[in-house]
Amino acid sequence: MQNKMENIAAIKDPNLLDGTAYMELIAGKYRGKHWIPGSLFYDEEIFGLIEPIFERKVDSYDHYEINHISTEQAKQLIKKLQSVSTELSSAKEFANTPQQIGFKFACSRDYFETNFVTAKNKTINMINELIEWLKKVLSNYDCITVAGI
């Protein structure tokens, strides 16, 4: 069985989802539907890497709920994500991993530590891809939604 952490990335095609343990980032306000084309989907364990940033920057963020994120909050998320990406880029070993990187499960932490260079690079790519998605969405919408588990 493949370790989920080997696939540190957003999933862009809802047809590739297996089960329901995903966080969905939706352009605009939640409209009562899930698995929307154009959304970004993250396995719960993968999203756990960046979820502490959302928890700190979005008032009343809840892992299990629908979270509407205003343009201003999203801009703050972008700044923090950029900062974490830069800090992670300069980390030479696991001990230098930014505190904002989260490990929801012990096995996530173990994988990240054991496969540090690969996990670090994939996480940086995932963060940078999310930043670009957020910027694009904010040019057309006044908010984003994080649909929790």
Side-chain angles (χ1 to χ4, degrees), residues 16-134:
L16 298 176
L17 303 178
D18 181 23
T20 59
Y22 296 93
M23 305 297 282
E24 180 178 4
L25 275 66
I26 301 168
K29 206 160 186 84
Y30 177 70
R31 297 172 293 282
K33 292 179 90 175
H34 286 278
W35 316 134
I36 300 168
S39 290
L40 293 181
F41 304 91
Y42 296 90
D43 179 278
E44 180 181 26
E45 189 171 355
I46 302 300
F47 193 73
L49 295 169
I50 57 174
E51 192 166 34
I53 298 165
F54 286 77
E55 292 169 341
R56 289 185 183 106
K57 293 294 176 187
V58 179
D59 295 338
S60 72
Y61 175 86
D62 189 321
H63 179 81
Y64 299 99
E65 298 294 332
I66 300 296
N67 301 277
H68 292 110
I69 299 174
S70 69
T71 299
E72 189 53 44
Q73 289 172 320
K75 287 179 181 178
Q76 293 303 312
L77 280 171
I78 290 169
K79 283 183 188 175
K80 192 58 171 174
L81 288 163
Q82 289 171 326
S83 168
V84 170
S85 178
T86 300
E87 193 176 339
L88 187 56
S89 294
S90 64
K92 302 290 185 225
E93 58 188 32
F94 179 76
N96 304 121
T97 301
Q99 290 182 333
Q100 295 86 0
I101 297 294
F103 301 104
K104 211 158 189 47
F105 307 99
C107 58
S108 304
R109 184 187 188 287
D110 294 344
Y111 180 86
F112 205 95
E113 184 172 16
T114 304
N115 303 280
F116 178 68
V117 173
T118 301
K120 166 187 138 167
N121 291 333
K122 287 181 177 183
T123 302
I124 291 166
N125 289 338
M126 180 182 76
I127 290 171
N128 292 338
E129 180 180 62
L130 173 57
I131 291 167
E132 291 310 308
W133 183 87
L134 287 167

Side-chain angles (χ1 to χ4, degrees), residues 71 75 132-144:
T71 299
K75 287 179 181 178
E132 291 310 308
W133 183 87
L134 287 167
K135 288 178 179 179
K136 182 179 174 188
V137 167
L138 292 176
S139 69
N140 296 306
Y141 295 88
D142 62 356
C143 71
I144 66 163

